Amino acid sequence: MKCDKCGKEAVIFQKYSGMHLCAAHEIDDVERKIKKHMRQERMVIPGDHIAVAMSGGKDSAATLSILVETFRKRPDIKFSAITIDEGIEGYRNNSVPKVKELCDKLGVSHIIVSFKDDIGYTLDEMLKRERKEASCTYCGVFRRMLLNRTAREIGANKLATGHNLDDDAQVVLMNVMNGDIERLARLRPSRIQEGLVPRIKPLMDVPEREIALYAFLKKLPFYMGECPYAHESLRGEIKDMMNEFESRHPGTKYSVMRGFDSMVECLKEKYKQVPLERCEVCGEPSIEKLCQPCKLKKRLRIEKEKRDILS
Ligand SMILES: [Zn+2]
Ligand SMILES: [Zn+2]
């Protein structure tokens, strides 16, 4: 197949747009979508210091690369990279070097914060005694807290993540299927909460497979392995279902997000956002007196004491 724009060999067929694109035009198209989305949402403004959450996968690599390239001539906008090392043997130790390589290439400072140093256990250690289903809960709660705290500590005023169109459409559908509409409203926070660094998602308008292709075509260093604990079954089922729908009804992922965007304001009216308090133990922003990370830490401590007594 030939590129619809220049006649060169096509590398992708975008069913939803009906276009065949060559490598150069696919790169252009992905960058155009990201830049348009950043402009519409006024995502980056003069004086910003943006911390980019870097797992080492294709999404975070694409996010950092496009942000740095887009604002290369803007010395008033600063970028830093943060990697949370959860301590997952055979996974994170392979992806961290990829982040380093990309940061060196782009001239961005890179900070690594580990579960082991900060919480006292690697994720592997936490999960030795836990049901495996708990992995994403533990990992997500601690990772979110550490990303936010680190971004705040280095003086960043925004935190960019590599969520793409598929990620967001999956989350929307999952919350609908779980009947968790309040959580759906929380996907677009309306107020800036004290102590919480606002999030931006530059890749939100680009399908996952095009981000993968983009990272590959741009020869970005990234790690392709999957987290060994990635088995959240409902999420996986929804992902498969959406991909099947997308291939039979091109544009479904965009429609899900368009539908969500047009109802989110009503949802925010119904589920008002309450101001956060400070956790009485660690001082991080929290809905309850004790924040979720501190609750989980307490649980880990109790379990360890039990084990120490038994051994
Ligand atoms: Zn072309
Ligand atoms: Zn706390």
Side-chain angles (χ1 to χ4, degrees):
M1 276 310 208
K2 301 286 176 217
C3 173
D4 288 317
K5 296 200 171 175
C6 71
K8 284 209 188 102
E9 201 60 41
V11 294
I12 187 170
F13 174 49
Q14 295 179 338
K15 263 192 172 178
Y16 58 87
S17 70
M19 297 270 274
H20 293 88
L21 297 173
C22 68
H25 280 112
E26 169 63 7
I27 289 175
D28 272 1
D29 190 62
V30 167
E31 292 181 347
R32 181 188 58 81
K33 284 188 180 108
I34 296 172
K35 286 176 186 172
K36 184 178 165 206
H37 184 63
M38 290 200 288
R39 254 195 327 273
Q40 279 172 341
E41 307 258 319
R42 283 181 53 77
M43 238 176 233
V44 182
I45 57 169
D48 271 350
H49 175 184
I50 299 176
V52 183
M54 298 290 297
S55 67
K58 62 187 188 323
D59 300 296
S60 59
T63 306
L64 184 69
S65 157
I66 193 158
L67 278 170
V68 171
E69 276 186 13
T70 306
F71 299 101
R72 191 171 285 290
K73 289 181 185 139
R74 293 288 303 272
D76 60 320
I77 296 167
K78 187 181 163 187
F79 297 100
S80 304
I82 303 174
T83 300
I84 306 300
D85 181 354
E86 303 92 346
I88 304 172
E89 194 55 39
Y91 174 61
R92 197 47 88 218
N93 46 326
N94 294 325
S95 58
V96 170
K98 298 287 182 190
V99 183
K100 281 212 174 87
E101 192 185 334
L102 182 62
C103 288
D104 286 347
K105 203 171 133 192
L106 297 170
V108 173
S109 68
H110 181 214
I111 303 128
I112 305 175
V113 183
S114 77
F115 275 19
K116 181 77 179 173
D117 290 344
D118 206 273
I119 295 149
Y121 313 90
T122 64
L123 186 67
D124 288 341
E125 287 166 349
M126 290 180 200
L127 293 175
K128 273 195 188 127
R129 297 282 161 150
E130 276 289 334
R131 284 163 36 248
K132 289 292 181 231
E133 293 77 44
S135 60
C136 297
T137 309
Y138 275 80
C139 187
V141 165
F142 290 129
R143 183 160 22 86
R144 265 194 301 278
M145 181 271 288
L146 290 176
L147 274 174
N148 181 65
R149 203 192 65 201
T150 310
R152 202 180 61 223
E153 283 170 356
I154 62 170
N157 65 326
K158 281 171 192 161
L159 178 63
T161 60
H163 291 93
N164 56 48
L165 174 67
D166 294 47
D167 294 322
D168 268 39
Q170 283 159 24
V171 170
V172 167
L173 218 55
M174 192 162 71
N175 285 320
V176 169
M177 290 178 119
N178 281 333
D180 198 347
I181 305 305
E182 180 159 5
R183 191 176 289 205
L184 202 54
R186 297 286 161 269
L187 291 177
R188 296 273 190 280
S190 37
R191 67 162 90 201
I192 292 182
Q193 301 266 28
E194 173 88 26
L196 272 193
V197 179
R199 301 254 176 147
I200 58 170
K201 300 185 215 170
L203 311 187
M204 236 176 58
D205 270 344
V206 187
E208 180 164 17
R209 74 176 189 123
E210 290 185 56
I211 296 293
L213 183 58
Y214 178 83
F216 174 75
L217 293 173
K218 292 273 288 185
K219 299 190 172 63
L220 301 177
F222 68 95
Y223 179 61
M224 263 182 279
E226 262 212 6
C227 172
Y229 298 114
H231 53 251
E232 235 186 306
S233 60
L234 182 61
R235 181 77 181 254
E237 280 178 48
I238 288 176
K239 181 177 181 161
D240 293 343
M241 183 184 80
M242 281 197 69
N243 283 334
E244 198 176 307
F245 246 80
E246 180 70 38
S247 85
R248 275 189 284 138
H249 310 280
T252 296
K253 291 169 189 172
Y254 282 112
S255 308
V256 167
M257 291 317 292
R258 216 170 35 240
F260 168 68
D261 281 331
S262 58
M263 71 181 165
V264 72
E265 289 309 318
C266 304
L267 296 178
K268 276 160 51 174
E269 231 3 81
K270 182 168 159 80
Y271 302 100
K272 295 261 194 257
Q273 217 177 337
V274 292
L276 295 178
E277 320 225 352
R278 296 271 160 170
C279 167
E280 21 182 62
V281 174
C282 69
E284 287 298 307
S286 169
I287 304 172
E288 296 171 63
K289 284 196 178 355
L290 193 61
C291 74
Q292 203 60 22
C294 283
K295 276 187 198 163
L296 291 183
K297 266 195 225 175
K298 199 169 151 191
R299 214 162 108 187
L300 289 167
R301 213 166 34 240
I302 293 169
E303 272 166 23
K304 185 175 185 306
E305 278 161 15
K306 269 197 239 160
R307 280 205 301 279
D308 289 348
I309 293 168
L310 287 173
S311 63

